[in-house]
Amino acid sequence: MFSREPSPTVVHACVRDGRGGSPTAVLDDGLFGDDERRRLPGAAGASHAVFVSPGPEQDGLPLFSLRFFTSAGELPSCGHGTIAALGYLAARAGADSCRVLLRVAGRTFPARAVRRGTYVEAEFAYGSVELREPEPGQGSEPALTALGIRPDALGPGIRVASVGRPRLLVPVTSRAVLAALAPDMERLRAACDRLGLLGCYVYSAPSPSGRAAARMFAPSIGVPEDIANANSTACLAAHLAGAGIDRITVDMGDSLGSPATIRAGMSGSGVRLGGDVLLTGALP
């Protein structure tokens, strides 16, 4: 049982055309133990939970610290969870727009949210992304085999990307190939654990305008497939910037019946992430 009755708000992060998105439990932090935090996502019908704590004002802006949990434990960061928290904070502020500072894993960054009719448009400065090729002797073949990707359906440029925890970016030749994937989750988890990966983010070749589709498989953190994975989309934006694509729009969640869309683009030396947010239920 929880040490006190939690009252999370379910926030649908990264909705597309006003529907779908990733249900995320957001609530003020309190005297919860980590076991309680791990149980809360499932109890709220979500894959992730975000715990929000206010801090001292900085540079004239309110500061909030965020912690993220799945059923498997704490995550160092969560992009769609950050977008969900921004929608939650904007709704509580009751204004047409709000600007805040967010603190995640020791890093503080600016964020904003703007009300657009029935939803909130959220955006934040993500920062830098570490990209590298898979290390020699630690090939990605076991993960690709578990994903069920044929060699002729694989695109060029597999990369390991890290924003706290590494994940594999896997290009495929088309949206049809992406939609047909049916990974062996047990084998994929074993492969990712062996390679020290959070999971595999598989994406279609982007259009000239930067529109792509993606699916994120992360059984190692208790999420077989994520409806919306903004952190990995930030990784993809950083990777594609090397090919001259400075802004992307990525569709996710269709295979799970919950369409989601994430926006990402280069800004200075880092990436900016954004998405649209809908809230379900009353705020505490």
Side-chain angles (χ1 to χ4, degrees):
M1 296 293 292
F2 291 96
S3 57
R4 66 177 176 84
E5 186 66 26
S7 54
T9 297
V10 177
V11 177
H12 293 258
C14 306
V15 299
R16 187 192 311 161
D17 299 326
R19 64 190 184 92
S22 181
T24 306
V26 187
L27 71 166
D28 293 341
D29 208 349
L31 300 178
F32 303 125
D34 283 359
D35 286 345
E36 295 170 319
R37 291 184 174 94
R38 289 172 57 184
R39 288 196 295 271
L40 192 135
S47 61
H48 296 67
V50 187
F51 296 84
V52 180
S53 299
E57 188 175 283
Q58 291 186 15
D59 301 322
L61 294 175
L63 171 70
F64 298 91
S65 295
L66 307 180
R67 293 181 70 186
F68 310 96
F69 280 79
T70 70
S71 62
E74 186 168 11
L75 303 175
S77 64
C78 176
H80 85 265
T82 302
I83 290 170
L86 277 169
Y88 174 84
L89 292 170
R92 279 214 315 205
D96 289 338
S97 66
C98 73
R99 295 173 61 236
V100 298
L101 294 175
L102 298 177
R103 188 165 182 81
V104 174
R107 185 170 63 90
T108 302
F109 49 89
R112 70 177 183 92
V114 179
R115 188 177 297 278
R116 305 288 190 192
T118 59
Y119 66 91
V120 172
E121 182 182 280
E123 183 181 70
F124 65 97
Y126 191 85
S128 60
V129 173
E130 179 186 338
L131 292 164
R132 61 176 173 83
E133 295 186 5
E135 296 178 9
Q138 291 186 335
S140 54
E141 290 80 6
L144 298 178
T145 299
L147 287 166
I149 300 174
R150 305 185 316 272
D152 64 335
L154 190 64
I158 295 174
R159 294 290 183 272
V160 175
S162 181
V163 286
R165 292 181 65 179
R167 79 257 0 250
L168 200 65
L169 304 183
V170 182
V172 292
T173 53
S174 70
R175 285 187 178 229
V177 169
L178 181 72
L181 292 180
D184 182 324
M185 290 297 174
E186 189 172 324
R187 292 178 66 186
L188 182 60
R189 177 170 187 163
C192 289
D193 289 349
R194 187 162 58 251
L195 297 169
L197 299 172
L198 170 76
C200 294
Y201 181 83
V202 189
Y203 65 95
S204 67
S207 70
S209 66
R211 191 96 187 197
R215 296 174 68 184
M216 177 64 177
F217 305 104
S220 292
I221 62 167
V223 185
E225 183 172 354
D226 212 353
I227 291 172
N229 194 287
N231 275 6
S232 295
T233 302
C235 292
L236 179 61
H239 171 54
L240 293 177
I245 300 174
D246 60 3
R247 183 167 292 276
I248 59 173
T249 302
V250 177
D251 296 327
M252 300 187 73
D254 295 280
S255 59
L256 299 172
S258 189
T261 297
I262 305 161
R263 299 181 292 272
M266 301 306 295
S267 175
S269 59
V271 180
R272 292 194 69 85
L273 270 175
D276 297 337
V277 178
L278 287 173
L279 276 70
T280 300
L283 291 166

